[in-house]
Amino acid sequence: MLKSERPIGIFDSGLGGLTVLKAVRALMPAERLVYFGDTARVPYGAKSKSAVVSFSREIADFLFAKKIKFLIVACNTASSLALEEIREISPVPVLGVITPGVGAALELAPRGGKILVTGTAATVASRAYTRALQAARRDVRVTEKACPLFVPLVEEGWCSKPLAGLVAREYLAAFRGRKIDALILGCTHYPLLKKLIARVMGPRVKIVDSALATARAARLELSRRGLLNPGRSRGECEFYVSDAPERFSSLARKLLGLKTGEVGVKRF
Ligand code: DGL
């Protein structure tokens, strides 16, 4: 098999990374994809760096054994806390979700602009977004806000329930009058609440979906390396989780309209 015909590996702590998988699939339909969701150990957002590094390395090793050509860390928490540690052991190029999200936000923020980053508690505590944004553009002003209840709301399938609106307003209403230019959805679950978040923030604030930005960055990187799959037919997707495959499959269908077929289980 040509190297370019090998699959792309994508992993997340659970099902949020499917927002990235869906964007990758839409942009590069010929690519074969292998997805891993660590459903036994989700959420990562409340865990320590050493736990997230060790989980991420185990998953990366599992995906390397599937002969992937490229790895996407489709989890903001793992991208914030473990990207370097994954790269140290990786035989293939590794892309996280932070750099693409930062690039997309900077395209939208004017000179001296204000960017609000939303994410899990661990992502926000790491300040990975602030560092990356200010390393690229020192003029931007960055505020980060942890929104931990967004993840269970999404996992419960409650994105359009009134409770989701209450929670979003509680977290975000204080930022409405603060002339925010762009809000980064710094967690792979949050694109599923994009419309709600946009409504709470008002029409002036541009919402940055790092799933789309990551898919674009992956295509650019694969093309630069001559690794884009040249096939014309649709590449197949394989799905694995560390627990509860039926629940994963049914949420994937309900929340993202994705048909996973049979989901494999790999316990660590
Ligand atoms: N996928 C994680 C992220 O993007 C959110 C869920 C979790 O806390 O594990 O940060």
Side-chain angles (χ1 to χ4, degrees):
M1 182 192 290
L2 290 172
K3 195 167 179 195
S4 57
E5 290 169 344
R6 291 196 206 160
I8 297 173
I10 302 178
F11 85 84
D12 178 38
S13 56
L15 61 84
L18 292 174
T19 56
V20 177
L21 175 132
K22 215 175 158 181
V24 169
R25 196 132 180 81
L27 212 57
M28 299 180 276
E31 296 296 337
R32 297 171 56 211
L33 308 176
V34 187
Y35 183 90
F36 188 91
D38 197 1
T39 48
R41 301 184 289 200
V42 69
Y44 284 7
K47 302 221 163 49
S48 66
K49 176 175 168 84
S50 64
V52 175
V53 167
S54 125
F55 299 165
S56 301
R57 282 184 153 181
E58 280 174 345
I59 297 164
D61 276 335
F62 170 76
L63 293 171
F64 299 151
K66 299 269 169 209
K67 301 264 179 292
I68 57 170
K69 62 180 175 183
F70 192 78
L71 177 62
I72 301 179
V73 181
C75 172
N76 284 264
T77 307
S79 297
S80 301
L81 302 182
L83 200 64
E84 283 320 306
E85 289 80 355
I86 299 168
R87 285 199 172 120
E88 277 166 18
I89 60 158
S90 180
V92 298
V94 181
L95 177 70
V97 284
I98 309 256
T99 312
V102 160
L106 290 176
E107 277 173 26
L108 299 172
R111 192 131 277 285
K114 277 194 189 168
I115 298 178
L116 174 62
V117 179
T118 54
T120 65
T123 297
V124 166
S126 78
R127 291 282 177 265
Y129 271 102
T130 300
R131 277 200 307 279
L133 283 160
Q134 290 184 335
R137 282 245 318 259
R138 293 193 56 189
D139 63 284
V140 288
R141 284 167 292 164
V142 187
T143 308
E144 300 202 33
K145 173 73 182 163
C147 306
L149 291 177
F150 282 171
V151 170
L153 279 171
V154 169
E155 300 248 336
E156 199 58 37
W158 283 11
C159 300
S160 21
K161 297 257 183 193
L163 180 61
L166 278 177
V167 172
R169 277 194 293 282
E170 183 67 34
Y171 283 140
L172 301 173
F175 297 96
R176 280 195 59 150
R178 294 212 216 152
K179 296 210 167 92
I180 303 288
D181 296 290
L183 178 150
I184 300 182
L185 300 171
C187 171
T188 45
H189 283 65
Y190 297 3
L192 293 161
L193 293 166
K194 190 172 173 176
K195 280 193 194 137
L196 174 65
I197 292 171
R199 223 173 24 246
V200 172
M201 293 306 292
R204 199 187 156 270
V205 181
K206 305 197 177 66
I207 308 292
V208 179
D209 179 343
S210 45
L212 291 177
T214 301
R216 288 199 191 109
R219 184 173 62 178
L220 191 68
E221 203 49 44
L222 286 165
S223 146
R224 264 196 207 132
R225 293 170 186 266
L227 285 177
L228 280 174
N229 192 316
R232 291 185 165 260
S233 50
R234 225 168 145 68
E236 75 265 19
C237 289
E238 275 176 54
F239 296 89
Y240 296 88
V241 292
S242 45
D243 196 20
E246 295 82 13
R247 179 175 151 77
F248 174 85
S249 192
S250 103
L251 279 172
R253 194 170 48 250
K254 183 169 162 198
L255 299 178
L256 290 125
L258 277 171
K259 287 191 196 130
T260 59
E262 200 177 326
V263 176
V265 177
K266 163 71 188 165
R267 294 188 205 281
F268 294 103

